[in-house]
């Protein structure tokens, strides 16, 4: 059973409803809970979501999407690191 913080008006948790399938509902923790608790970014969240469901939903296509999202994340992080390095070299706030 998923941990749920009691709500003031005892509404059912949005985690109990999954439009479009049940590929997350059988998990000990849903990807959205993990993503939120760890303050992950968009691409990291997509990767967690897809790796959790790939056997039950998207198959190899989900793995290829994960691969692409990892490549995007690496590229964006490298750009960010390069920009920070350049800003330091130019003594600009980064």
């Amino acid at each position: 059973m998923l941990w749920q913080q009691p709500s003031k008006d005892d509404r059912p948790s949005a985690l109990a409803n999954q439009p479009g399938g049940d590929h997350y509902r059988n998990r000990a923790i849903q990807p959205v809970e993990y993503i939120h608790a760890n303050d992950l970014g968009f691409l990291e969240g997509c990767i967690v979501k897809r790796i959790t469901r790939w056997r039950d939903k998207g198959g190899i296509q989900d793995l290829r999407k994960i691969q692409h999202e990892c490549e995007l994340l690496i590229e964006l992080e490298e750009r960010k690191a390069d920009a920070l390095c350049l800003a330091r070299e130019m003594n600009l706030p980064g």
Side-chain angles (χ1 to χ4, degrees), residues 5-84:
Q5 183 175 357
S7 71
K8 293 179 183 176
D9 56 4
D10 292 328
R11 286 181 297 186
S13 170
L15 293 170
N17 181 24
Q18 185 184 334
D22 63 355
H23 42 276
Y24 300 132
R25 292 175 67 185
N26 303 346
R27 308 295 177 186
I29 180 172
Q30 290 194 26
V32 69
E33 294 175 286
Y34 179 84
I35 293 163
H36 182 70
N38 291 286
D39 199 27
L40 298 182
F42 177 76
L43 287 170
E44 296 160 315
C46 289
I47 292 164
V48 168
K49 176 184 74 165
R50 291 186 209 287
I51 200 66
T52 302
R53 74 175 194 204
W54 80 272
R55 285 184 183 94
D56 300 324
K57 187 175 181 194
I60 298 299
Q61 183 178 13
D62 267 349
L63 294 177
R64 293 192 194 289
K65 288 179 181 180
I66 292 166
Q67 184 177 30
H68 178 67
E69 289 159 348
C70 286
E71 291 167 355
L72 285 169
L73 184 57
I74 290 167
E75 183 177 324
L76 293 171
E77 289 299 315
E78 286 177 341
R79 283 188 203 171
K80 184 174 159 182
D82 289 347
L84 285 173

